[in-house]
Amino acid sequence: MDRVYNFSAGPATLPHEVVLKAQAELLSFKDSGMSVMEISHRSDLYTTMASEAEQDLRDLMQIPDNYEVLFLQGGATQMFYTLPLNFANQAHRVGYINTGHWSERAEEEARYVSGLTVEEVGSSADQHFTELVHQVTLNGDYDFIHLTTNNTIEGTMYRDLPELDGRTLVADLSSNFLGQVYNVNDFGIIYAGAQKNSGIAGFTVAIVRKDLLEQVPDLPAMLSFSKQAAKHSALNTPPVFAIYMAGLVFKWIKEQGGVAAMQKRNEAKAQLLYEFLDSSNLFRNPVVSADRSTMNIPFVTGDADLDALCVQEATKQGLMSLKGHKSVGGLRASLYNAMTIDGVQALVKFLGEFEKEHGGK
Ligand SMILES: *Cc1c(COP(=O)(O)O)cnc(C)c1O
């Protein structure tokens, strides 16, 4: 069976070379005679693998020494709750920038933390999230301000972060982690579920400024960032295979020239599709151009039946998982790091043919 072009938003396509490498090493990891799924997380094999993955990530993002890198579980969704639980114990007040589904989910989960005031400090809900919030309304103390750098469903992405007057920024980078260059120093905490742009589900990364860890209260071990940090993310059995896969992806990105090279390639891929959409008489992307994501590109014909037909026809040609999220409908192409320019060219060609056949007015 040939591999297809997989435009899924997540779990998403992996670099071909990474899948091949995992296949080649599957029966015997580093000549151990065991797969990586079968080795002890207290073995040197594991420790070496995990610390290499951490070092590669540090190199890729130029993570300064005053940041801890944690390899956790539970996905971004668990972080939505554990972050305010751990890091909102001084002002007992946090601000959320609402730019779409995932930032709303983060805010909702924060409300489960008792004694915490959760405030929305900006929202583009009135614009149906077709643009970002660039100006926030702040007054007084907040433990942190939360933001989603790339809105996976709505297709918007921050290039420049909003001004927060020195407040701590906590950011969900799940869907453009390692696909867009950011300066780690601009953040108190960065977190991401890996299955979008940096590996497979089961691995969640958190990059935490060390001084923030000092104020973490005493919490159950699995929910405590400071206890996880003290045990180098191996407080209990870590998701060994998922960490291994992320490690392979990190090495692959290094070979491609790093995050800046990824960003450049992502911009070129996205531009191909946006140029097509903007000149199309059938399809359109609703997002304000300055805020458009390079990672997730939603588009519609304006006719739900035609959208569905388009997804169906695309599938027949090996262009998979183009159905849009149910909240926005239409189609969505996710062009993460691992999506090749060939894949985007094939998509644009197909959409052009579909348009000819189905009434570009
Ligand atoms: C997918 C996604 C999530 C949810 O991730 P899980 O790992 O499934 O919990 C959160 N935030 C963003 C931006 C996402 O794209």
Side-chain angles (χ1 to χ4, degrees):
M1 163 101 207
D2 286 338
R3 300 267 292 167
V4 295
Y5 290 121
N6 174 9
F7 295 94
S8 169
T13 191
L14 289 162
H16 193 66
E17 297 86 344
V18 165
V19 180
L20 286 176
K21 173 89 172 157
Q23 182 187 42
E25 288 187 331
L26 195 61
L27 288 177
S28 178
F29 176 62
K30 306 264 184 215
D31 289 325
S32 66
M34 298 173 278
S35 79
V36 72
M37 296 174 281
E38 301 165 294
I39 60 171
S40 164
H41 60 294
R42 306 293 176 209
S43 65
D44 289 345
L45 270 176
Y46 172 76
T47 335
T48 306
M49 185 268 283
S51 44
E52 252 180 59
E54 175 177 338
Q55 192 53 54
D56 287 337
L57 180 60
R58 284 185 177 276
D59 296 346
L60 283 171
M61 294 184 75
Q62 295 170 3
I63 301 174
D65 288 342
N66 64 323
Y67 284 77
E68 196 76 52
V69 173
L70 297 173
F71 293 169
L72 304 172
Q73 306 192 53
T77 305
Q78 179 159 300
M79 300 276 180
F80 293 163
Y81 174 69
T82 54
L83 287 167
L85 187 69
N86 280 262
F87 300 104
N89 297 290
Q90 289 179 340
H92 301 282
R93 180 163 173 243
V94 287
Y96 279 71
I97 301 174
N98 182 7
T99 51
H101 174 86
W102 289 116
S103 51
E104 264 174 359
R105 288 289 299 118
E107 188 180 326
E108 276 165 25
E109 296 293 307
R111 293 188 195 280
Y112 282 95
V113 179
S114 64
L116 186 65
T117 302
V118 179
E119 220 177 274
E120 209 162 89
V121 295
S123 170
S124 53
D126 288 348
Q127 288 76 40
H128 304 285
F129 303 122
T130 54
E131 59 184 68
L132 292 166
V133 173
H134 293 287
Q135 218 123 47
V136 293
T137 319
L138 303 173
N139 52 71
D141 291 337
Y142 301 85
D143 289 299
F144 62 74
I145 305 297
H146 181 276
L147 162 147
T148 311
T149 52
N150 184 77
N151 295 279
T152 323
I153 293 171
E154 296 79 6
T156 55
M157 182 177 87
Y158 279 100
R159 288 164 177 77
D160 301 308
L161 302 167
E163 179 52 57
L164 300 178
D165 290 330
R167 275 124 175 147
T168 301
L169 177 61
V170 170
D172 178 358
L173 269 72
S174 293
S175 51
N176 71 344
F177 189 64
L178 303 176
Q180 178 76 18
V181 176
Y182 291 105
N183 182 352
V184 175
N185 286 303
D186 291 339
F187 302 86
I189 300 171
I190 286 171
Y191 67 102
Q195 72 276 14
K196 306 282 164 62
N197 207 20
S198 46
I200 65 171
F203 169 73
T204 315
V205 64
I207 302 165
V208 182
R209 215 176 60 220
K210 284 180 181 166
D211 62 286
L212 297 171
L213 286 167
E214 283 158 23
Q215 23 154 316
V216 172
D218 190 29
L219 290 168
M222 282 304 282
L223 304 183
S224 165
F225 280 75
S226 54
K227 289 179 187 172
Q228 293 280 10
K231 298 287 183 185
H232 305 290
S233 311
L235 183 152
N236 71 331
T237 317
V240 176
F241 189 73
I243 292 171
Y244 161 76
M245 287 299 290
L248 293 186
V249 171
F250 299 160
K251 285 197 194 304
W252 178 83
I253 296 174
K254 276 185 143 177
E255 286 160 18
Q256 307 302 304
V259 183
M262 286 284 110
Q263 176 178 329
K264 211 165 153 219
R265 196 191 292 184
N266 292 332
E267 283 164 358
K269 287 184 297 178
Q271 194 184 348
L272 259 184
L273 183 52
Y274 283 124
E275 271 174 12
F276 168 79
L277 295 171
D278 288 344
S279 61
S280 168
N281 292 317
L282 183 63
F283 299 100
R284 57 178 283 275
N285 165 276
V287 176
V288 169
S289 59
D291 291 342
R292 284 172 166 181
S293 170
T294 54
M295 303 272 91
N296 310 95
I297 305 183
F299 51 99
V300 293
T301 62
D303 170 349
D305 291 337
L306 201 53
D307 290 344
L309 181 67
C310 187
V311 172
Q312 205 181 359
E313 300 272 308
T315 306
K316 284 188 202 148
Q317 305 212 10
L319 305 166
M320 312 305 279
S321 305
L322 284 162
K323 190 172 187 294
H325 189 268
K326 58 184 186 299
S327 62
V328 292
L331 295 90
R332 170 177 50 173
S334 295
L335 313 181
Y336 297 126
N337 286 348
M339 175 53 65
T340 58
I341 192 101
D342 292 356
V344 185
Q345 278 162 350
L347 174 63
V348 167
K349 181 163 175 281
F350 162 78
L351 292 173
E353 284 160 6
F354 187 87
E355 174 169 348
K356 270 198 203 110
E357 203 169 321
H358 296 276
K361 280 152 265 162

